[in-house]
Structure formats: structure tokens, C-alpha cells
Amino acid sequence: MTREVLSQIPSLPQQGLFSLFIKHTSAAITINENADPSVLTDFESIFNQIVPENMPFLTHTIEGPDDMPAHIKAAMIGSSITIPITNGRLNLGTWQGIYLCEFRNSGGRRKLVATIYG
Amino acid sequence: MTREVLSQIPSLPQQGLFSLFIKHTSAAITINENADPSVLTDFESIFNQIVPENMPFLTHTIEGPDDMPAHIKAAMIGSSITIPITNGRLNLGTWQGIYLCEFRNSGGRRKLVATIYG
Amino acid sequence: MTREVLSQIPSLPQQGLFSLFIKHTSAAITINENADPSVLTDFESIFNQIVPENMPFLTHTIEGPDDMPAHIKAAMIGSSITIPITNGRLNLGTWQGIYLCEFRNSGGRRKLVATIYG
């Protein structure tokens, strides 16, 4: 969602930091490979393998089998990213793009807060 | 520990960033669901499942079976969080709260550093 | 690589934040125990256990069996760290050091961006 984020922010300072924060506990923000869509597919499959639904010892099950795994995945990935700003642009690597990771089956709208420092 | 953190910091600027850093390698800081205590219980159970003690190939065992898993969990969760400040308050989502994740069985006191930018 | 990073940055302000960002999606930056080299060895072994190569369902395999696991490990660890600056120094804990986590078998040179705020 790099392009979507960039379209929503004003012009950037010459140097600084860009912080993006998600106001939710079952979705997360990260930076990952932006070129090949198969990365996105495998990203989801691997996290479902590492944090499967219906572990027998879970107690927080009232919101559905996808809820507690979503909290864990969100904690692993994190609720914010920080990207340096250089020469008025996000200083991302060639293959880096911003991902919003939706970990619920039906997550609804998600709210983000961007902060620019320079 | 959101309330405990807020009670220790001075008044916040109207806009900015709040950074919280933990000076340890076997505990971590994250943001997660703040409402239902069962999330906390399951959080610990799932991480113990993903990073169990006594993996046979471990070499860093001198500090006890919970030490090396604690370092890994700490690296997965991270040593700092960054939260936007809006209208003089931490701009957290409705269900978001700050967690200190203690990954040792007897971790002792933990030192944090808060930085406010605005 | 704490010493290497410190040798490349100018003098730090009295107070502020230090941000270090890696411009890649198959390597990551974290803070972990700096004292015992066995932590480094086990760090790699455990992550290889949690995110093994050759999971049968993977589709992003064209860049080799270590590529997709590297993206996942990088997302788990993260592409940046933020460290408070206090009294003109990085305010790290006694055992904390900066790690560059190379998750490819042959990763090549890696580019980092440091930002100092104060």
C-alpha cells in the first residue's frame, strides 16, 4: 500500500523520519518485498502455519478462532514502522514496500496515523 | 501498563511522537488488546509453544532453560514502541494498551526510557 | 555491530533518538544480547526451526529455498530500531548490542540509513 500511503501525505521535508502507526491489535504494518505477488501469498500461509487457529489451550475464543492468532501475529509484526526521509522522499530500498497485514478474516476498516518529522 | 507509563510522563505536546524503549534483551514492549485478560494468558501460552524451552540444539544454556527462548521472544516482539501524540494524548486505538512482556521466569526490575517528541 | 555503527555516526546530541533502518527485505536489524557468542548461534538455529526452508505450500521459490523464509524472518524482526540518546550516548542496557540479521545464505552488501534526532 506504499502508493496509497504516499497519496495521502503532504510533501515531505528534505530530511527526517516518517512514522506510520496502526490503531488496531489484530492487524499490523511492515515493510516487505513489493515486486512479486507470490511473496504476499506465502506471507499469509507461513504465518498461518506458525500461529495456527484452534490451539487447544486457548482461552480467548469468544471473538472467533481467528482472533487470538491475529493478536499474536500483530505483536510479532508490530504496530508501526519508521522510514527515513532523504532528499524529500521515503528512503526505501528498491524492493521495499509498505504492507498492511490484515490478520482477521473480516477485519473491517482500519485506521492509521502518519507522523512526519523533519 | 498503559496507566503506569502515563503516570510517569509529564504533559504531552499537542502533536508528536512518544517512544518507549526497554533496556533489556529478555523482555520486550508491545501494544496489544487491553480489554480481556484472557488475551494476556494466551499470549504467554502461544509464545511458549512457538519458542519452547529445551530445544536440543541450543548452546546458550548456562543461564537456564528460559534464557535463550527469552532472547528470541524479545527479538520477535521488539525493544521499543512508537506511538503518535495527537491533541496532547497518546493516539491509541480503543482496544490498544501497552504491554511489558517479561520472558524470564524471574526477571527482576526492568528499566525503560521514554522519549517525547513534539 | 554496535561498534561499527557508532564509528560511522557523528557526535550525538545530549538528548534525542537514534533510528537505524535497513533498506532490504531479507535482512533485519534488532537489539539483543551482546556478551555471549552462543546467543548468536542459537538465534540463527531457532529462527531456522521456526521458519524452515522448503515448506511444501510455498509459491515464491524462484530465488531459492532461503529467500521466502528470509522475508518472513525479516518481517518478524523488523527493518528498523529506535534507541534513546541520553547524555550524548546511545542509552543501551548493559547487555544490549545492535545486530544485523542476515537471513540469506549469500546476502551481499547491505545498506543502512541512520537518522539522529535531538
Side-chain angles (χ1 to χ4, degrees):
Chain A
M1 63 165 191
T2 315
R3 211 168 302 167
E4 204 176 333
V5 169
L6 286 173
S7 74
Q8 299 293 320
I9 57 178
S11 68
L12 296 171
Q14 278 303 296
Q15 293 211 27
L17 284 175
F18 175 76
S19 166
L20 191 62
F21 178 81
I22 188 163
K23 296 180 69 170
H24 302 273
T25 61
S26 54
I29 308 181
T30 190
I31 292 169
N32 220 293
E33 182 181 304
N34 197 26
D36 185 342
S38 62
V39 172
L40 267 176
T41 309
D42 289 355
F43 199 99
E44 180 161 7
S45 307
I46 295 182
F47 273 96
N48 287 343
Q49 174 95 352
I50 296 172
V51 193
E53 296 186 3
N54 300 312
M55 292 181 175
F57 50 79
L58 294 185
T59 63
H60 181 77
T61 53
I62 197 170
E63 294 179 64
D66 61 322
D67 187 60
M68 193 59 221
H71 291 312
I72 298 298
K73 294 168 183 168
M76 282 180 165
I77 299 297
S79 55
S80 72
I81 53 172
T82 301
I83 303 172
I85 301 168
T86 310
N87 299 326
R89 303 181 65 154
L90 296 187
N91 195 346
L92 291 167
T94 311
W95 309 109
Q96 287 183 310
I98 302 172
Y99 278 38
L100 191 160
C101 308
E102 174 58 70
F103 293 126
R104 295 303 307 269
N105 294 331
S106 304
R109 293 180 65 191
R110 299 301 195 172
K111 286 185 190 164
L112 305 176
V113 182
T115 306
I116 297 163
Y117 249 86
Chain B
M1 62 165 193
T2 315
R3 213 168 300 167
E4 206 177 331
V5 170
L6 287 172
S7 74
Q8 299 293 322
I9 57 179
S11 68
L12 296 170
Q14 279 302 297
Q15 293 209 26
L17 285 175
F18 175 75
S19 166
L20 192 63
F21 178 81
I22 187 163
K23 295 180 70 169
H24 303 273
T25 61
S26 54
I29 309 181
T30 190
I31 292 170
N32 220 294
E33 182 179 304
N34 197 25
D36 186 343
S38 62
V39 172
L40 267 176
T41 310
D42 289 356
F43 198 99
E44 180 161 7
S45 309
I46 295 181
F47 273 96
N48 287 342
Q49 173 94 353
I50 295 173
V51 193
E53 295 186 2
N54 301 311
M55 292 181 176
F57 51 77
L58 294 185
T59 63
H60 181 76
T61 53
I62 197 170
E63 295 180 63
D66 60 321
D67 188 60
M68 193 59 222
H71 291 312
I72 299 297
K73 294 167 184 170
M76 282 179 166
I77 298 297
S79 56
S80 72
I81 53 171
T82 302
I83 302 172
I85 301 168
T86 309
N87 299 325
R89 304 181 65 152
L90 296 187
N91 195 347
L92 291 167
T94 311
W95 309 109
Q96 287 184 311
I98 302 172
Y99 278 39
L100 191 160
C101 307
E102 174 57 70
F103 293 126
R104 294 304 305 269
N105 294 333
S106 304
R109 292 181 65 192
R110 299 301 195 171
K111 287 186 189 162
L112 305 176
V113 182
T115 306
I116 297 164
Y117 249 85
Chain C
M1 62 165 193
T2 315
R3 211 168 302 167
E4 205 176 332
V5 169
L6 286 172
S7 74
Q8 299 294 320
I9 57 178
S11 69
L12 296 170
Q14 279 302 297
Q15 292 210 27
L17 285 175
F18 175 76
S19 166
L20 191 62
F21 179 81
I22 187 163
K23 296 180 69 170
H24 303 272
T25 61
S26 54
I29 308 180
T30 189
I31 292 169
N32 220 293
E33 184 181 301
N34 197 26
D36 186 342
S38 62
V39 172
L40 267 176
T41 310
D42 290 355
F43 199 99
E44 180 161 8
S45 308
I46 295 183
F47 273 96
N48 287 342
Q49 174 94 352
I50 295 172
V51 192
E53 296 187 3
N54 301 311
M55 292 180 175
F57 50 79
L58 293 185
T59 63
H60 180 78
T61 53
I62 197 169
E63 294 180 63
D66 61 322
D67 187 61
M68 193 59 222
H71 291 312
I72 298 298
K73 294 168 183 170
M76 282 180 166
I77 297 299
S79 55
S80 73
I81 54 172
T82 301
I83 302 172
I85 301 167
T86 309
N87 299 326
R89 301 181 66 151
L90 296 188
N91 195 347
L92 290 167
T94 311
W95 309 110
Q96 288 183 311
I98 303 173
Y99 278 38
L100 191 160
C101 307
E102 175 57 70
F103 293 125
R104 294 304 305 270
N105 294 332
S106 304
R109 293 181 65 191
R110 299 302 196 171
K111 287 185 189 162
L112 305 176
V113 182
T115 306
I116 297 163
Y117 250 84

